[in-house]
Amino acid sequence: SSLVEKWEYYLHAKGKSDSASRHLYLESIKILDPACGSGHILVYAFDLLYNMYESQGYPAREIPSLILANNLYGLDIDRRATQLAGFAMLMKARSKDRRLFRQEIKLNIYNFIDAEKISAEALEYFCKNEGEAKEIKDLVKQFSNARSYGSLIVPPALDFDDYLQRLMDLDEEVEDLFERRKVEELKEKLISLFTQANILSKKYHVVVANPPYHNKYNPEMKKFIHENYANYKADLYSAFIYRCTSMTLLYGYCGMMSPFTWMFITAHEKLRIYLIENQSFSSLIQLEYSAFEEATVPICTFVIQNQNEYTVGKYIRLTEFRGAELQPVKVQEAVLDPCAHYRYDFDSKNFYDIPGSPIVYWASEQIRKIFKENPRLGDIAEPRQGLATSDNNRFLRLWHEVDLQQIGFSFKDAKKAMDSTKKWFPYNKGGYFRKWYGNQEYLINWYNDGYEVKKYAAELYRSYTRTIKNIPYYFREGITWSDISSSYFGVRYSPIGFIFDVSGSMAFPLDGDIEFFLGLLCSKISVTKLKMLNPTLHFQVGDIKRIPVIYQNNSSCRELVRKTIFLSKADWDSFETSWDFERHTFLTYQNGASLISKAFQNWADHAEAQFHQLQANEEELNRVFIKIYGLEDELTPEVSDEEITVRRADRERDAKSFLSYAVGCMMGRYSLDVLGLAYAGGEFNSSMYRRFLPDPDGILPITDKNYFEDDIIYRLGEFLRIIFGEDTLQENLYWLAESLIMKNNETPVERLRRYFMDEFYKDHLQVYQKRPIYWLFDSGKKKGFRALVYLHRYNPQTLAKTRLDNLHEMQVKYVNEEQLLLQRLEQPNLSRAEKTE
């Protein structure tokens, strides 16, 4: 038909048909949307059908009523939605036939109605025998929750047409009042029941839907799904996919739009097997995550035919084309160009080649061969899911929140034995995308072998082992990764001493060859395989287990991995949020410089070299693994800058971090005389501070003018003199102020005061993830009084001392300043502008 030329998204795939379907009359084609909502799909189908009827020579005035009566069926649990759908259909038909409303109109669009119990008298009056009465009672029970279960209900194979005809033939005007009441009850309760059961019991040439997506079932729905769709219970849409195929005639088609998670994740494996064994994929379009402006969702559209004789389908993969506007354009291009690099012809029987049968239609023969012929990572390593605390706020802390005396692990000596009498222990919790090393931020309350966590889980779930898993693997050296990522797969080395989370699962190579497996998992090989096994934003243990491994004893590869871990660790430890942070990079790379600008440049040069060295290491590792896997024709070793997770220098960020380090030295957290933390709990040792003395009480007033001799700006100047010298103080103050972006006519000291007064604490909260180690005492919106207090030096006298030594003194200074201003206002030669000021 020439109509095909107008279908801009039509992917013609060679399917199968029987002789009867080749000679169908248009009026006999039945199309069902079992979750029709407000009718968008049905309205679109109306247009296509209208053109078909028109091309076959039907009179234009007859076509709309024929389509409404014979072709289109819609069901939904929402009455208001079906009303809108019916209205939309009528308006569409009316736009084609101005005389439509003069005719008797039949619409096949219905909302589900919960069935009500029928009285015994009414059933006896209607039914011919006890068998019919039982059939209707069972049907009433089955549809008692029809508004919840909707099209997922599978009614028995009964002659509903006969039942409906008999109902309609009942005379509502019988003289006997008792009989009349029975007839009224029967029609009131059974017409809707038989109608919806009748539609659900039939087979259709086309079933098309955008089904509901939902997996947080209430108890009632959960029971129904487990009893009727046990193999497809992972999500409501999964059950709908199965149900829609079962409502399709042999050689009929089922068209769906759904999340594409069913194509890959383990929970939907039985659905995939069912479709591969019993159906044939005619076409499938996998959209990019941002294909819809309203939300970031993993969506695909697909058509499956109810036959498994011819199984080669057409596939379009849009994952590399970002944005809603580009998606339809690229589909149209692929429809017109069979050779488009993102369009594929693929036999669905080949999906079996990869464990779990993911729908990876773009997998080459070589990749499928790698999966078929090699062991999986789960065979030669032990990927393990960690624990879920069930209450992170209660059982987890960022490491900087905790008194170091309560941590049962030595940050400085990882091989030191655990101290089980302590409360807090390192905890891998995943985190943002980072490779090789890092994201070591959390601690877990594991006092007395996790007694509190286990007790809490046991109270919630009767047994703590439901959420606290793989305990024998805790504190072991291994490989960890973040299970959720918006972009790349971040795998890191984890030294001994860590418990691990569900979001920071770990793998433990059986032969201890951590370097080889870390290199493999950080390489393009693993990313490529994972995108086949599960291209969603979640990297689960089950996916990691299925990665094929071609193991080689490669010493140069291991050495390269060790060097790369070292580079990444050095970067991680360059910032004070690492527990192995020693001193600020401006001091580390000062190299005798008397100017901060020079120290910053030294750091910038080092960071840039470190960045490019790590990039070179990753590309070399990619070359090694691409060669091992024989994928030189499919993959290149290049690594983009976005995939490198060590940080380059950033003047504003690094200037702010230097000011934060300076505050740390003023508070006593750090010392210019020792590396790392000088004080974070326990007994304060003043002998650790010689070059620069911290505040005696850990209290720093922040003011907009120089009201105190030892305020934060005075101490900053003292700090800079000690590190860089007196002669360059002003130049260094200017560099810091300029890094923060100065206003016109603003002096460096004014800019730095404004930063500490208005911006420092916001930055501090961001760096420390809203768990500040310096607490801000604040008198309110006017900012009349502000002071920073160091969390670990807080004691019962801190508040009183802040009030007496700082607040009261500030009030006295304000009173004195007010008196001076009043005296100036009394001067007779003061201009109006000066008075206003």
Side-chain angles (χ1 to χ4, degrees):
S1 168
S2 60
L3 289 175
V4 174
E5 297 169 7
K6 300 177 182 178
W7 297 346
E8 54 189 345
Y9 301 114
Y10 179 57
L11 281 167
H12 175 69
K14 184 180 178 183
K16 279 279 185 179
S17 63
D18 58 11
S19 58
S21 66
R22 292 193 195 102
H23 303 290
L24 279 173
Y25 290 106
L26 275 170
E27 293 127 280
S28 65
I29 295 175
K30 298 196 181 305
I31 301 170
L32 170 69
D33 184 343
C36 68
S38 53
H40 292 81
I41 292 173
L42 294 174
V43 170
Y44 197 97
F46 183 101
D47 284 333
L48 293 176
L49 286 164
Y50 188 91
N51 292 335
M52 291 177 183
Y53 275 97
E54 201 173 37
S55 71
Q56 295 298 307
Y58 279 75
R61 287 183 181 176
E62 294 180 13
I63 297 173
S65 56
L66 286 172
I67 293 173
L68 295 182
N70 299 317
N71 299 124
L72 297 178
Y73 293 78
L75 294 169
D76 203 277
I77 60 174
D78 188 332
R79 183 173 64 89
R80 292 167 299 178
T82 55
Q83 288 173 340
L84 287 170
F87 178 74
M89 293 293 292
L90 286 174
M91 291 301 99
K92 173 59 72 171
R94 171 65 176 73
S95 71
K96 302 292 186 181
D97 178 11
R98 295 172 60 186
R99 300 182 182 184
L100 181 79
F101 293 150
R102 300 178 189 176
Q103 310 169 34
E104 183 179 344
I105 303 168
K106 183 176 185 293
L107 278 176
N108 298 306
I109 298 174
Y110 302 94
N111 63 284
F112 285 97
I113 299 172
D114 290 343
E116 298 181 55
K117 187 177 180 181
I118 313 293
S119 67
E121 295 80 10
L123 276 178
E124 185 179 358
Y125 179 79
F126 179 72
C127 297
K128 295 177 180 178
N129 51 53
E130 289 185 7
E132 283 192 355
K134 185 178 185 307
E135 285 177 356
I136 294 174
K137 284 179 183 177
D138 290 344
L139 198 65
V140 168
K141 183 179 179 182
Q142 189 178 27
F143 279 81
S144 61
N145 265 327
R147 290 183 60 194
S148 295
Y149 308 149
S151 296
L152 293 179
I153 298 172
V154 182
L158 303 178
D159 191 348
F160 293 109
D161 289 320
D162 177 63
Y163 274 141
L164 281 166
Q165 188 59 53
R166 281 164 52 189
L167 264 179
M168 303 312 295
D169 290 343
L170 291 175
D171 187 359
E172 295 183 40
E173 301 301 325
V174 292
E175 293 183 5
D176 188 303
L177 292 177
F178 290 103
E179 287 190 12
R180 187 184 301 177
R181 182 66 195 99
K182 291 173 188 175
V183 171
E184 288 173 354
E185 180 187 356
L186 287 166
K187 289 194 172 184
E188 179 186 334
K189 295 180 178 178
L190 288 183
I191 287 178
S192 61
L193 173 63
F194 289 155
T195 300
Q196 58 198 23
N198 193 26
I199 293 177
L200 287 177
S201 66
K202 292 185 183 303
K203 300 282 188 178
Y204 296 85
H205 300 93
V206 174
V207 180
V208 59
N210 177 13
Y213 322 145
H214 184 68
N215 57 20
K216 304 297 182 187
Y217 306 127
N218 62 40
E220 208 170 65
M221 177 62 85
K222 185 175 182 180
K223 183 177 182 228
F224 173 82
I225 291 291
H226 278 256
E227 288 178 355
N228 297 279
Y229 296 93
N231 289 340
Y232 318 107
K233 64 189 178 185
D235 197 289
L236 210 53
Y237 81 76
S238 181
F240 260 91
I241 292 174
Y242 172 77
R243 177 70 176 119
C244 288
T245 62
S246 70
M247 288 193 286
T248 306
L249 284 163
L250 181 65
Y251 304 116
Y253 288 91
C254 175
M256 307 284 284
M257 169 182 170
S258 76
F260 62 60
T261 46
W262 68 269
M263 297 168 58
F264 307 103
I265 68 174
T266 306
H268 293 284
E269 183 176 344
K270 290 181 179 177
L271 173 65
R272 293 194 295 274
I273 297 298
Y274 162 76
L275 293 175
I276 295 167
E277 287 182 352
N278 300 283
Q279 309 287 320
S280 172
F281 290 95
S282 176
S283 63
L284 184 147
I285 301 174
Q286 183 181 342
L287 283 77
E288 195 267 333
Y289 264 89
S290 60
F292 295 93
E293 293 178 356
E294 296 82 5
T296 300
V297 286
I299 290 291
C300 67
T301 69
F302 57 96
V303 177
I304 48 183
Q305 189 182 25
N306 190 12
Q307 58 88 14
N308 64 350
E309 300 162 52
Y310 191 87
T311 53
V312 176
K314 309 287 183 183
Y315 299 82
I316 295 177
R317 190 167 185 242
L318 300 174
T319 54
E320 65 182 272
F321 307 112
R322 188 166 181 81
E325 294 179 359
L326 201 53
Q327 302 287 296
V329 173
K330 288 299 177 182
V331 174
Q332 291 165 349
E333 289 179 5
V335 166
L336 296 173
D337 180 11
C339 297
H341 73 276
Y342 55 94
R343 173 174 166 169
Y344 305 84
D345 288 357
F346 196 88
D347 189 336
S348 59
K349 299 301 182 187
N350 291 328
F351 291 139
Y352 289 125
D353 291 345
I354 296 178
S357 302
I359 310 302
V360 283
Y361 49 86
W362 65 93
S364 67
E365 187 176 344
Q366 171 64 11
I367 285 178
R368 299 201 309 273
K369 181 181 176 184
I370 289 168
F371 273 103
K372 283 195 294 185
E373 296 182 355
N374 294 285
R376 308 171 196 176
L377 191 139
D379 299 327
I380 48 182
E382 297 177 299
R384 290 291 181 268
Q385 189 181 66
L387 68 82
T389 67
S390 302
D391 189 344
N392 285 350
N393 287 334
R394 176 175 175 178
F395 296 111
L396 298 187
R397 295 289 180 272
L398 290 165
W399 73 268
H400 58 258
E401 297 180 85
V402 174
D403 186 329
L404 290 187
Q405 306 301 310
Q406 289 296 315
I407 298 176
F409 176 81
S410 172
F411 296 142
K412 295 183 183 296
D413 184 3
K415 295 183 179 179
K416 189 176 179 180
M418 297 286 170
D419 185 349
S420 58
T421 65
K422 298 297 176 66
K423 183 174 182 178
W424 300 100
F425 293 84
Y427 189 67
N428 275 328
K429 200 179 181 308
Y432 58 87
F433 170 60
R434 186 175 174 88
K435 293 165 72 175
W436 304 107
Y437 191 92
N439 288 8
Q440 298 173 1
E441 301 172 311
Y442 281 89
L443 304 171
I444 185 171
N445 175 0
W446 201 248
Y447 176 68
N448 194 15
D449 197 31
Y451 173 78
E452 286 186 49
V453 185
K454 292 176 182 176
K455 182 174 181 289
Y456 184 72
E459 290 170 353
L460 287 178
Y461 309 110
R462 298 185 181 177
S463 170
Y464 71 78
T465 55
R466 179 175 170 182
T467 54
I468 301 174
K469 303 175 181 179
N470 294 308
I471 293 177
Y473 293 86
Y474 294 176
F475 304 118
R476 286 173 53 177
E477 182 184 34
I479 299 166
T480 186
W481 64 89
S482 305
D483 81 323
I484 299 177
S485 172
S486 60
S487 50
Y488 306 105
F489 183 42
V491 190
R492 297 171 297 279
Y493 168 69
S494 179
I496 62 171
F498 283 80
I499 298 173
F500 50 100
D501 188 269
V502 174
S503 299
S505 297
M506 291 186 66
F508 306 91
L510 292 174
D511 64 356
D513 193 351
I514 288 175
E515 288 89 356
F516 176 85
F517 285 95
L518 181 60
L520 171 63
L521 289 173
C522 281
S523 74
K524 275 192 175 181
I525 295 293
S526 291
V527 173
T528 302
K529 301 298 180 286
L530 280 173
K531 284 182 178 179
M532 293 179 176
L533 296 169
N534 184 3
T536 68
L537 301 180
H538 293 258
F539 302 111
Q540 301 172 358
V541 166
D543 304 319
I544 307 304
K545 284 182 176 180
R546 290 186 287 159
I547 294 174
V549 176
I550 302 177
Y551 184 76
Q552 286 191 5
N553 189 2
N554 191 318
S555 58
S556 60
C557 169
R558 290 195 199 87
E559 181 60 27
L560 197 55
V561 169
R562 280 192 285 269
K563 290 178 179 177
T564 308
I565 294 172
F566 178 82
L567 286 174
S568 186
K569 184 179 188 308
D571 168 74
W572 180 255
D573 294 340
S574 295
F575 294 82
E576 64 179 80
T577 47
S578 165
W579 54 50
D580 285 327
F581 171 76
E582 294 185 341
R583 59 182 177 182
H584 195 269
T585 53
F586 289 2
L587 277 67
T588 303
Y589 300 99
Q590 182 182 2
N591 297 338
S594 59
L595 294 172
I596 295 183
S597 58
K598 179 59 179 171
F600 169 75
Q601 190 58 52
N602 293 343
W603 151 243
D605 293 343
H606 170 82
E608 196 68 16
Q610 185 172 251
F611 183 94
H612 289 294
Q613 182 60 59
L614 191 130
Q615 190 173 39
N617 289 0
E618 290 196 16
E619 290 180 349
E620 180 57 32
L621 284 167
N622 279 337
R623 288 188 190 92
V624 169
F625 284 104
I626 288 171
K627 184 176 181 181
I628 290 173
Y629 280 77
L631 291 172
E632 293 91 340
D633 294 336
E634 299 187 38
L635 297 176
T636 59
E638 286 74 27
V639 179
S640 67
D641 288 359
E642 291 76 21
E643 297 173 72
I644 304 301
T645 56
V646 296
R647 288 156 284 196
R648 286 167 149 158
D650 180 295
R651 179 171 172 177
E652 182 179 359
R653 180 203 69 199
D654 295 336
K656 288 179 177 180
S657 72
F658 179 75
L659 293 173
S660 176
Y661 177 72
V663 170
C665 290
M666 298 174 203
M667 292 293 197
R669 181 173 180 81
Y670 306 112
S671 169
L672 294 179
D673 304 303
V674 297
L675 296 177
L677 290 172
Y679 180 76
E683 186 175 346
F684 188 78
N685 183 1
S686 58
S687 66
M688 299 180 73
Y689 312 92
R690 297 186 300 277
R691 295 171 62 197
F692 181 78
L693 299 178
D695 185 273
D697 304 297
I699 303 168
L700 286 177
I702 303 175
T703 60
D704 60 345
K705 294 181 181 178
N706 186 19
Y707 291 111
F708 296 95
E709 290 184 357
D710 61 345
D711 74 350
I712 202 163
I713 297 300
Y714 174 83
R715 296 302 320 270
L716 176 63
E718 186 181 6
F719 183 72
L720 292 173
R721 286 188 192 94
I722 291 171
I723 297 172
F724 296 102
E726 176 72 42
D727 295 343
T728 55
L729 176 61
Q730 295 306 315
E731 195 170 347
N732 287 330
L733 286 171
Y734 183 82
W735 187 90
L736 288 169
E738 192 178 45
S739 301
L740 303 174
I741 306 172
M742 300 167 67
K743 292 181 179 179
N744 291 335
N745 302 319
E746 190 175 36
T747 68
V749 169
E750 287 172 342
R751 176 62 185 107
L752 290 167
R753 284 195 183 279
R754 181 163 64 86
Y755 174 70
F756 282 112
M757 177 65 73
D758 298 335
E759 302 163 36
F760 172 81
Y761 202 65
K762 292 177 185 176
D763 290 338
H764 182 68
L765 286 176
Q766 185 176 7
V767 169
Y768 283 88
Q769 301 181 48
K770 297 184 180 179
R771 270 82 165 177
I773 53 174
Y774 311 130
W775 292 354
L776 181 66
F777 282 64
D778 185 359
S779 65
K781 292 182 181 178
K782 299 290 186 180
K783 305 174 187 175
F785 174 79
R786 285 189 159 188
L788 289 174
V789 175
Y790 182 24
L791 159 70
H792 292 300
R793 293 184 67 187
Y794 186 90
N795 60 50
Q797 290 75 45
T798 300
L799 187 57
K801 192 164 187 60
T802 304
R803 182 167 176 261
L804 291 171
D805 292 357
N806 301 109
L807 176 60
H808 286 182
E809 188 175 343
M810 191 75 182
Q811 287 173 314
V812 170
K813 291 180 183 295
Y814 277 151
V815 169
N816 292 338
E817 187 168 349
E818 184 182 18
Q819 290 174 349
L820 289 171
L821 290 170
L822 289 171
Q823 290 173 11
R824 286 193 63 203
L825 284 168
E826 292 173 359
Q827 295 176 8
N829 58 346
L830 209 62
S831 68
R832 181 184 295 273
E834 289 173 321
K835 287 181 178 181
T836 302
E837 186 184 356

